[in-house]
Amino acid sequence: MTEEESVERWCDRVLEENPSHSDWDSAPELLSDFSCPTFVESGAESQPDDHIRKPFPISKASQSETASVCSGSLDGVEYSLRKEKGVVKMTVPSTLAFCYLALLWQRETITLSDLLRFVEEDHIPYINAFQHFPEEMKLYGRDKGIFAIESWPNYEDIHKKMIEVATFLDLPRFPDITEDCYLHPNILCMKYLMEVNLPDEMHSFTCQVVKMAGIGEVDFLTFDPIAKMAKTVKYDVQAIAVIVIVLKLLFLLDDSLEWSLSTIAEKYNEENKEDKPWFDFRKWYQVMKKSFDDKKQKWEEARAKYVWKSEKPLYHSSIDRSVVYKRREMVVNLQKQFSTLVDSTPTVEKKSPSSFQFNWTEEDTDKTCFHGHSLQGILKKKGQSLTTKNSLYWLSTQKFCKSYCKHVTTYEESNFSLSYQFILNLFSFLLRIKTSFLHEEVSLIEKRLFKTKYSKTKKKSSRSRKVRK
């Protein structure tokens, strides 16, 4: 008897003993009901579950045959059982977190937001990653539960999983993040200042903020999984938060001062066209808003058009493989016909991965490049040094949540100026994170910068409580 005949006879036997599952449309239910035998391992998890009832005895000779037809690979069966017990350690998102751990160990010039964006742009297989596997890797049945991804990777989720994986593996302290490392805030700030078209002179201010807040120290930046409180710095989010704080220090971002300073800069630039132009916040806002809106629209359209169905579908058993592939072929043909009717524009070739999403050059006449613009219009001389004309500052968060609260700060757009909202929305899109997540990081760095101010507010609140009592 050939292997195909034995497989067919086995399936016929299942259908005869279970007439309620005679319809092949209910294949997922049938496959979940009849799992292959538990495979014994050493340790506490080696004992088979007593509640798993076998429909009929299976000989050892047919174990691999049964697994391949009914429930996928042996890994798929074990994965399902472990998932039910809640002891699954490696998933597709966890694998992505593991990849970032490797990049962090090597101190590569890739941040977590870059990695997730490369996934989004299909440079790294993630959604339907199984279709890149070689043909000899047959995936069906319960394997579908391992590789079926129905959402984009989330920054906070992957960051959390990265710490979990590193702690579980008991990894030692990672290589030091020093000043010459790409992940150091001074270097990342320079990179993001270039990307959002801000003046190069702002870099000296970001370096001062990093030094004053103490977030550029090696011990603060280096990841140590075996420490008592294992945590790692969100390097890209932290650098962006520093830039937001510098913008608040220079322009206040209260929907008033930034516009009055812009009027002064605009007037100076008109009268002194031969000199180095002063930075005009209003003009920068107009240029960036147009570029940001265009980029976001394209991103939203790409997400809406994304095809979640894979070209190489997963099937529940080797028997219905031909049916699944035939259906998939029909769907692809229909999609091609409809796409030619709706949109006749040619498909754009996929660009190579890049750390920059916005590009600004002096030669580009369509877009104004502000990299070489001066901050002289917002600075004044004080003795031998320069200081900002703006002497005010407002804290992004007046009061932090309790330690048992899930979030550190709260962010409601209506409570903040339109300028601040635009800055947060721009940078949040750049990193593909929530606006509230960036706001929280800004607040935490402000807390380190203005310790005395926070301690005063704390004392005032404690005194008011005593008075009430």
Side-chain angles (χ1 to χ4, degrees):
M1 185 186 293
T2 63
E3 186 178 355
E4 288 185 6
E5 288 174 348
S6 63
V7 167
E8 288 177 11
R9 185 164 292 184
W10 185 88
C11 291
D12 290 337
R13 184 178 173 184
V14 173
L15 291 172
E16 285 171 12
E17 294 190 13
N18 297 274
S20 60
H21 293 290
S22 59
D23 187 1
W24 273 107
D25 288 338
S26 60
E29 286 78 10
L30 175 134
L31 296 171
S32 61
D33 289 344
F34 296 95
S35 59
C36 66
T38 309
F39 290 86
V40 179
E41 290 180 351
S42 60
E45 292 174 10
S46 64
Q47 300 297 324
D49 292 344
D50 295 331
H51 68 274
I52 299 176
R53 217 182 84 233
K54 297 178 180 62
F56 48 81
I58 302 172
S59 64
K60 285 185 179 178
S62 63
Q63 280 183 1
S64 61
E65 192 174 84
T66 304
S68 64
V69 176
C70 176
S71 56
S73 68
L74 306 189
D75 289 337
V77 176
E78 186 182 348
Y79 182 90
S80 299
L81 294 173
R82 282 174 171 268
K83 194 173 183 181
E84 288 171 11
K85 293 177 183 178
V87 291
V88 172
K89 291 297 178 188
M90 287 308 292
T91 58
V92 176
S94 296
T95 305
L96 192 62
F98 186 75
C99 291
Y100 180 66
L101 276 174
L103 293 169
L104 184 58
W105 183 274
Q106 293 292 329
R107 296 187 297 180
E108 294 289 345
T109 57
I110 298 177
T111 61
L112 180 55
S113 59
D114 287 335
L115 184 69
L116 300 187
R117 184 165 51 81
F118 293 158
V119 167
E120 192 180 85
E121 294 171 356
D122 271 344
H123 297 300
I124 298 173
Y126 184 81
I127 307 290
N128 302 320
F130 60 87
Q131 65 186 5
H132 298 279
F133 293 167
E135 191 61 36
E136 58 268 20
M137 290 180 67
K138 295 179 180 178
L139 301 176
Y140 44 85
R142 290 198 178 186
D143 290 336
K144 188 174 183 181
I146 302 175
F147 297 101
I149 300 296
E150 297 178 349
S151 61
W152 296 104
N154 176 271
Y155 188 105
E156 295 176 62
D157 181 48
I158 300 298
H159 184 266
K160 185 180 176 183
K161 280 182 169 56
M162 183 193 75
I163 299 172
E164 289 175 358
V165 171
T167 308
F168 175 75
L169 294 174
D170 201 21
L171 295 176
R173 179 184 165 105
F174 277 48
D176 290 347
I177 304 296
T178 53
E179 286 189 12
D180 59 343
C181 179
Y182 177 77
L183 297 175
H184 194 277
N186 288 346
I187 296 177
L188 280 178
C189 281
M190 189 188 299
K191 183 252 183 190
Y192 289 120
L193 285 171
M194 289 173 64
E195 178 139 28
V196 295
N197 201 12
L198 286 168
D200 301 331
E201 291 181 13
M202 278 185 64
H203 187 245
S204 61
F205 290 93
T206 59
C207 290
Q208 288 181 50
V209 170
V210 168
K211 188 177 180 180
M212 289 173 67
I215 58 175
E217 303 297 326
V218 173
D219 289 337
F220 178 83
L221 293 170
T222 305
F223 180 38
D224 189 1
I226 58 175
K228 286 184 179 179
M229 292 291 289
K231 63 182 181 65
T232 182
V233 176
K234 308 170 193 77
Y235 301 100
D236 39 10
V237 183
Q238 178 187 255
I240 292 290
V242 169
I243 295 173
V244 174
I245 290 170
V246 169
L247 285 169
K248 286 174 68 178
L249 286 166
L250 296 175
F251 300 99
L252 194 59
L253 301 183
D254 65 340
D255 286 343
S256 176
L257 182 65
E258 61 268 34
W259 307 128
S260 59
L261 290 172
S262 297
T263 304
I264 295 169
E266 186 181 2
K267 187 178 180 181
Y268 175 86
N269 292 336
E270 286 177 0
E271 294 174 356
N272 304 273
K273 292 183 179 180
E274 300 298 322
D275 296 342
K276 189 177 183 179
W278 285 4
F279 178 69
D280 184 344
F281 185 89
R282 183 187 289 109
K283 193 175 181 182
W284 172 83
Y285 167 80
Q286 291 168 350
V287 171
M288 283 307 302
K289 191 172 189 315
K290 186 179 183 304
S291 299
F292 169 54
D293 290 343
D294 291 344
K295 183 74 73 174
K296 192 175 181 181
Q297 186 180 351
K298 288 177 183 177
W299 174 76
E300 288 172 348
E301 287 174 358
R303 279 217 163 183
K305 291 178 181 178
Y306 188 82
V307 181
W308 289 89
K309 289 284 184 182
S310 64
E311 295 175 7
K312 181 182 176 183
L314 282 174
Y315 45 91
H316 295 282
S317 72
S318 57
I319 295 165
D320 59 350
R321 177 180 177 177
S322 59
V323 177
V324 171
Y325 271 88
K326 190 171 280 187
R327 284 178 181 173
R328 181 63 190 150
E329 193 178 344
M330 288 171 63
V331 169
V332 170
N333 289 333
L334 284 170
Q335 284 177 341
K336 285 180 180 178
Q337 290 175 28
F338 277 111
S339 62
T340 51
L341 289 170
V342 175
D343 189 9
S344 57
T345 55
T347 54
V348 182
E349 289 185 13
K350 188 164 67 174
K351 294 180 181 178
S352 57
S354 172
S355 294
F356 289 89
Q357 299 175 65
F358 296 98
N359 292 309
W360 311 93
T361 55
E362 298 286 352
E363 293 78 22
D364 192 349
T365 54
D366 296 334
K367 300 174 185 175
T368 306
C369 179
F370 294 90
H371 291 162
H373 286 215
S374 173
L375 295 178
Q376 196 174 342
I378 56 176
L379 301 174
K380 63 179 181 181
K381 273 194 175 183
K382 191 176 181 181
Q384 297 296 320
S385 59
L386 287 170
T387 184
T388 58
K389 287 182 179 178
N390 169 44
S391 58
L392 301 174
Y393 192 89
W394 54 271
L395 296 171
S396 300
T397 300
Q398 294 288 340
K399 191 178 179 182
F400 290 87
C401 298
K402 300 289 184 182
S403 58
Y404 53 78
C405 188
K406 288 183 179 179
H407 49 79
V408 180
T409 62
T410 53
Y411 175 72
E412 293 181 18
E413 284 192 346
S414 57
N415 294 337
F416 298 94
S417 64
L418 295 174
S419 298
Y420 183 72
Q421 289 178 40
F422 171 75
I423 297 293
L424 286 196
N425 289 331
L426 170 64
F427 282 122
S428 299
F429 172 76
L430 207 64
L431 302 183
R432 306 292 194 270
I433 59 174
K434 293 178 183 175
T435 316
S436 57
F437 193 52
L438 176 56
H439 173 77
E440 181 179 311
E441 191 68 24
V442 171
S443 303
L444 290 172
I445 296 177
E446 286 179 346
K447 193 178 182 181
R448 296 177 70 95
L449 274 173
F450 306 102
K451 289 179 183 176
T452 53
K453 200 164 187 177
Y454 276 108
S455 60
K456 283 179 183 178
T457 54
K458 204 171 184 181
K459 285 177 183 177
K460 283 181 182 178
S461 60
S462 61
R463 285 172 187 169
S464 61
R465 283 175 193 166
K466 287 178 183 178
V467 171
R468 285 173 190 172
K469 286 177 181 179

